[in-house]
Each structure stands twice: as structure tokens, then as C-alpha cells.
Amino acid sequence: MANWTSFMQNSPTDISTRRLNIAVIAVEGSLLSAIAGLADLFWITNQALRAPPSGSAEGLPNHTQIFFSTTIVSADGKSPRAAQGRSIPVDCSFDELGPCDIALVTGMALGPDHLPPVSNSIEKAAEWLRTRHKQGTVVGGACAGTFIVGEAGLLDGRRCTTTWWLHHAFKRRFPKARPVWGTAVEEQDRVITTGGPLSWIDLALHVIKLTAGPEIAKLAADVSVADTLPMPQMIYAPRGYVNAAAPLLLQAEEIIRHASPGMTAEALAGALNLSERTLHRRLKELTNESPKGFMTRVRIEMACVLLETPGASVKQVAQQCGYGDDTAFRRAFIQLTGMTPADYRRWAVGRRLRTEQREFE
């Protein structure tokens, strides 16, 4: 977590209202719903702060009033076409925009190669983000918008995330970045990234939490009927998806799946005919994980599959996935999925039933 003290000190605290200026960037092919949604969510938060619903004001800070001001901007101030061809309403150009505390860029239509394009519009947005970040602006990217943040060079050497099905392409395009597989939100050095076409909601709530505090973020989430703690993307991705990127990962996954409980990183390296040091280096290059982290993820992905299958108890699943200690299994499961094994089973079953019901209807 970055140190936000200096950012908060730049905002006046001796007046009744503290204004946070947020720029929402529109480029050719942006998702109109994401741009409008960001503006709406910050507006909803303003309304909730002015008149909190009955019973929801408890715990809210009362020494200062936050006001989120959003401006939709494009490079030239003209309205680009959204992903579906509709015109995106724009307030001003990059050059016309005044002070900016936060700059956000959302998902967009993919190109013919099913990847985020590198267009003139995107290049200008990337250059503007790079300049603003140097001036102290907080930069955030959601879904394919993370590629624009990457084009700005702001992800080099930093932890970040992107939409799970763009993960491999993201790593190839930005080899100096440190993408973390399957997480919902990553933030480092005033750069925030989220994954998924609807992750602009997570991005907005994260911005509210960091700039206005967890109480106001909770109010915004409650009024919007959203989750303040987004679930990791890995629970939505096909099991083993990230390991399909390299033969070494597939081989290591197969070894772990059939290994006896308690297999160590040293034993995994030996089974792969590698030194521990080489295994550590290769995994860092391929997945940005340590051998222990890789082994844990593979085991928890196995557990997710088993928990979705009726019949097996949580204890049995833990043993099948190489955990002799139920507590260690539960702790590792929560860390990666954000849920207990029992909660995950209920969530997975409910999700399947809802899908089946929709198909039946």
C-alpha cells in the first residue's frame, strides 16, 4: 500500500468542503457505460454524503466534507466514438483541464487481434497520463484501460493487474511490469489497476477509500449496492489458465497435483531437474510468484474444483490438495479467494443454480 499522507496533506482541511478533481479519460472505442458509470458513482457518493440514508451516517467523519468533481476529457476535446459507435460526451480537452487530483481510464473495444489497440488517441492519452503522474496525479486504469497506463510507462517495476483473459498479452506487451495474476485491485506509487469490464466500480471505490476513507467508501458501496471488497478474478478464470502460458508451468502443475502432502519447493525443483534458485527465477519471470506462492495457488485452484463437486467435505478437499492441517488450508484459501472454503462452496453452488435457472427460463 502506498503512503498517501503527502497526497492528503495537499488537500485543505481548514474549510468545510474538500474538492477532489477527477478526470475520466475518453478514447476512441472506450466503453460508454464505464465512463458514465464512473461519473455516476462519484455523483451518487456526493448525494449520499449530503443526505445519508437513515442509519447510515454513523461512523462517518464529520470534520470535513468531501466533494468529488468529475470531468470527462479527451485529447482534443471532441467526442470520440464509444465501443458500440455512440458518441461519448466530453467536457474539455487535456489542455483545457485545470487541476487534476485523479485521472482514470476505463475499458475499451479490442482490435481485430482481440487485443487493446495502440492508436493515436491512446498514445496521446498515455503521454498525458505520464505527464500528470509526474505532477502528482493519482492514475487509475480498469480492464483494458490498464494497457493505456502501461503504454504510459507507469507500470514498469510496479505491481499491477489486468483482466484475467488479457493477462498473457499484457505480460508480453509490458515485460517490465509486475502483473499479479487474478487479483481484483493492485495499487503502488499512485498507480491503481483493476481487472474486468465492470471493474471500474472497484476502481472508483478504491479511489474513494484511499482519498476519503473506508467509512465513505462503505457508504458509497452500500448506496450503490456494490461490494467494498471485490472478489479476486482467479475465481472466475478457468482453472490453470495462467499455467497454460509455458510448458514449465504445466509440468510443475502436474507434479504438484500428484505430489504427496507437504511437498517442498526443493522437492518441486528436483522433480523439474532445476536448482531451487533457477526455479525461483523462472517462476518470477513467468508468473511473478515464488515457488511457494505458485504451489499454493495450484493447490487452491484444485480445491476450488473439488469444492464445486458435491460430496467431498472441506477436510477431505484439504487433504486431497496437499494440506494435512485444516487451519493452514483455510488460511491459504481465504488469502487467495477472499472467502472461506465453505463460503466459496455456497457461492459456487448458488452461481451455478442461478445460471441453470436462467437457462431454464
Side-chain angles (χ1 to χ4, degrees):
M1 182 69 69
N3 183 355
W4 285 75
T5 303
S6 59
F7 173 74
M8 296 304 289
Q9 287 176 343
N10 289 334
S11 300
T13 56
D14 57 344
I15 57 177
S16 60
T17 299
R18 179 158 56 89
R19 186 187 188 95
L20 288 170
N21 296 310
I22 303 169
V24 181
I25 299 171
V27 299
E28 201 69 29
S30 290
L31 295 182
L32 182 58
S33 61
I35 290 177
L38 280 170
D40 282 344
L41 200 152
F42 287 116
W43 178 83
I44 289 170
T45 304
N46 288 335
Q47 305 310 304
L49 284 171
R50 285 199 184 97
S54 178
S56 64
E58 185 176 350
L60 288 179
N62 55 16
H63 66 282
T64 184
Q65 176 70 38
I66 305 292
F67 181 80
F68 296 98
S69 175
T70 58
T71 304
I72 300 174
V73 297
S74 66
D76 56 8
K78 297 179 181 178
S79 297
R81 290 291 174 181
Q84 297 183 45
R86 294 180 175 88
S87 180
I88 301 174
V90 168
D91 298 312
C92 67
S93 69
F94 291 158
D95 291 338
E96 294 169 334
L97 184 69
C100 176
D101 300 303
I102 300 150
L104 306 178
V105 58
T106 68
M108 69 192 78
L110 304 182
D113 56 357
H114 304 294
L115 296 175
V118 182
S119 63
N120 183 56
S121 175
I122 287 173
E123 288 177 347
K124 288 181 178 178
E127 181 181 354
W128 185 78
L129 283 175
R130 182 166 53 249
T131 300
R132 284 288 183 160
H133 186 261
K134 288 180 181 178
Q135 296 171 351
T137 296
V138 177
V139 170
C143 192
T146 57
F147 280 69
I148 299 181
V149 181
E151 293 293 341
L154 299 180
L155 301 181
D156 292 354
R158 294 188 173 105
R159 286 174 61 92
C160 53
T161 191
T162 191
T163 306
W164 66 262
W165 38 270
L166 292 172
H167 180 83
H168 298 319
F170 188 90
K171 282 178 61 65
R172 289 192 296 269
R173 188 174 292 186
F174 309 113
K176 294 181 181 179
R178 297 175 55 205
V180 183
W181 162 248
T183 58
V185 181
E186 291 292 335
E187 178 258 314
Q188 183 179 349
D189 303 331
R190 290 182 292 108
V191 179
I192 309 165
T193 50
T194 63
L198 298 182
S199 68
W200 57 266
I201 299 172
D202 302 331
L203 180 60
L205 292 175
H206 195 78
V207 166
I208 293 170
K209 178 181 178 182
L210 289 173
T211 57
E215 298 88 357
I216 293 178
K218 183 180 183 303
L219 174 65
D222 290 347
V223 171
S224 305
V225 194
D227 292 323
T228 49
L229 293 175
M231 290 187 287
Q233 293 185 78
M234 67 163 286
I235 65 174
Y236 298 102
R239 308 306 169 209
Y241 177 86
V242 72
N243 297 336
L248 174 65
L249 300 179
L250 290 174
Q251 185 181 0
E253 179 180 352
E254 190 67 15
I255 291 169
I256 295 168
R257 286 181 181 276
H258 296 92
S260 58
M263 184 183 195
T264 63
E266 181 182 7
L268 176 60
L272 292 166
N273 295 317
L274 300 173
S275 67
E276 277 194 83
R277 184 175 180 179
T278 300
L279 177 62
H280 188 280
R281 176 177 58 79
R282 293 294 308 281
L283 288 178
K284 278 293 182 181
E285 291 172 353
L286 293 169
T287 67
N288 199 33
E289 294 171 310
S290 66
K292 181 180 179 182
F294 175 81
M295 294 172 70
T296 298
R297 177 174 58 77
V298 169
R299 285 170 172 162
I300 298 306
E301 286 181 349
M302 290 169 55
C304 287
V305 174
L306 294 172
L307 287 168
E308 292 174 25
T309 304
S313 67
V314 171
K315 185 178 183 67
Q316 290 171 327
V317 169
Q319 292 174 343
Q320 285 182 262
C321 295
Y323 288 91
D325 180 12
D326 293 353
T327 302
F329 170 66
R330 188 175 185 275
R331 185 165 53 245
F333 197 95
I334 292 173
Q335 183 177 1
L336 284 184
T337 69
M339 293 179 278
T340 66
D343 286 341
Y344 176 83
R345 169 173 274 168
R346 284 190 287 269
W347 174 83
V349 169
R351 188 173 186 233
R352 186 182 70 246
L353 291 176
R354 287 191 295 273
T355 300
E356 292 173 352
Q357 183 177 10
R358 285 195 294 268
E359 291 176 351
F360 178 77
E361 293 173 348

